[in-house]
Amino acid sequence: AQRAPLSAAELASWDSEDADGLAERASSGAAADRGAPGRGTAAASVAAGGAGSKRGSSQTAGMMFSLAKKAGLNVGAGFAGLLRRAGAAAAEIIEGGAPPTEAAAATMLGLQADLRTPFRTGEEEHEASLVALWSGLFHEAAPFERCGRAWVEAGCISEDPADTFAAGGPTRAAGLLGLHAAVHCASEHSEAMQDLLERHSSEDETSLRILSTVNALARELATRTGVSADNLGAMRAPFFRLMEEPEGFFELVFLALMVLDHVWTEAAATQARFSEVLDLALQRAAAWLATGPTSVDALRAAAQEADEIVLRI
């Protein structure tokens, strides 16, 4: 039967276990470098590229809270309390663990440079990334448009995507880091991204601005993983091996996007609640990182264990 969206009152009843408890349960599935096994139901799945049926409703949009109670979500102190714990969980995972490996430090410094570099119109490499993003989102359905309404429908703040992928400024954009994260999502998880665009293509207050959301997640996760830190060498965290390749960070952005989309859909959220839903997705990402994933496969396994995200790849 069709499941009604969660009301604001229902959403306010959800709380989360602490990251340590989640890490203990997920460690057996996330500590080893292996792919996420294909368990769960269609209602709890995310089709991430490759084979898999298209999802036409919130039933198959991603994480199902009703199925994830046993994996870290339960009725408790409420939505506001959960959000307050997001920052604490992120702080805890930065304080523990080991310093970044040489490979991780090099990758994170490269990501940091991208974070601080705005999109520059006319620069060949920057423009090529826009073409790659368009190709991943639309394939051959439409010829490439450097500016146009299609970018707005995909969630950019204007018809010129350069405005979305600036660095800093009033939009607090993530620069090239946001653009490269979007390219990763569109190229590695094309089917999932096309599904998001189909469900959020309108410009009313109930639609999620997909590319702007990727941009926001990249910016916030850069802070929570230490990518934006000036004192990287002094940091300690259990997940730095994940960061030895850029794909580790970008896959974290994608998985957080899947959680954010599902919360948005289930709560029938509007733009007025975007920051709340964003914070909840960041809290879930912090919990995955607390398991100490050492590879993309281990990160996916942690997300599946915690939030019943099943990737079909």
Side-chain angles (χ1 to χ4, degrees):
Q2 182 68 28
R3 188 170 181 269
L6 292 176
S7 66
E10 289 172 320
L11 182 61
S13 72
W14 293 107
D15 197 12
S16 173
E17 297 177 356
D18 60 69
D20 290 337
L22 188 149
E24 183 177 345
R25 285 195 312 281
S27 59
S28 60
D33 295 349
R34 56 178 171 76
R39 67 172 180 82
T41 66
S45 69
V46 176
S53 59
K54 290 186 73 173
R55 301 170 315 287
S57 73
S58 64
Q59 292 290 86
T60 53
M63 177 186 69
M64 292 297 290
F65 279 104
S66 60
L67 298 177
K69 283 186 179 182
K70 65 181 179 63
L73 294 172
N74 51 59
V75 176
F79 191 48
L82 186 153
L83 296 181
R84 284 194 297 272
R85 295 167 67 172
E92 287 171 5
I93 62 175
I94 291 296
E95 291 173 1
T101 63
E102 183 176 348
T107 295
M108 293 172 75
L109 287 173
L111 295 172
Q112 183 181 105
D114 284 349
L115 175 67
R116 298 176 178 179
T117 303
F119 182 93
R120 297 190 183 97
T121 299
E123 190 157 327
E124 184 175 355
E125 182 180 349
H126 298 192
E127 297 286 352
S129 292
L130 278 187
V131 174
L133 176 56
W134 179 280
S135 177
L137 293 176
F138 304 111
H139 297 282
E140 298 178 358
F144 174 72
E145 296 180 12
R146 175 58 181 77
C147 297
R149 294 299 301 170
W151 289 111
V152 176
E153 293 174 358
C156 286
I157 62 175
S158 74
E159 294 187 2
D160 185 350
D163 296 335
T164 296
F165 301 108
T171 61
R172 297 177 60 212
L176 291 186
L177 184 66
L179 176 56
H180 292 164
V183 171
H184 171 87
C185 293
S187 60
E188 298 298 319
H189 303 287
S190 180
E191 183 179 342
M193 291 297 287
Q194 289 179 51
D195 173 69
L196 290 178
L197 293 185
E198 288 176 8
R199 293 188 289 106
H200 297 287
S201 61
S202 66
E203 297 172 40
D204 61 32
E205 288 299 300
T206 65
S207 287
L208 194 59
R209 312 315 195 235
I210 299 302
L211 293 182
S212 292
T213 300
V214 170
N215 196 40
L217 285 167
R219 180 190 68 233
E220 296 299 331
L221 288 170
T223 298
R224 286 157 174 78
T225 58
V227 164
S228 63
D230 292 324
N231 61 336
L232 182 59
M235 300 182 72
R236 301 290 185 272
F239 57 82
F240 279 143
R241 281 190 59 195
L242 172 68
M243 309 295 284
E244 291 182 351
E245 297 291 339
E247 289 73 17
F249 178 82
F250 295 142
E251 190 69 6
L252 179 64
V253 172
F254 170 74
L255 292 170
L257 176 64
M258 295 294 96
V259 169
L260 192 152
D261 166 61
H262 189 75
V263 174
W264 185 276
T265 302
E266 289 293 287
T270 66
Q271 287 297 318
R273 299 191 70 186
F274 177 78
S275 62
E276 293 178 275
V277 179
L278 174 66
D279 282 346
L280 178 54
L282 294 170
Q283 191 269 347
R284 302 314 302 154
W288 307 332
L289 291 175
T291 69
T294 58
S295 68
V296 168
D297 284 345
L299 175 66
R300 291 171 179 164
Q304 174 185 320
E305 178 72 19
D307 295 313
E308 302 235 353
I309 297 175
V310 178
L311 299 176
R312 296 176 180 174
I313 47 180

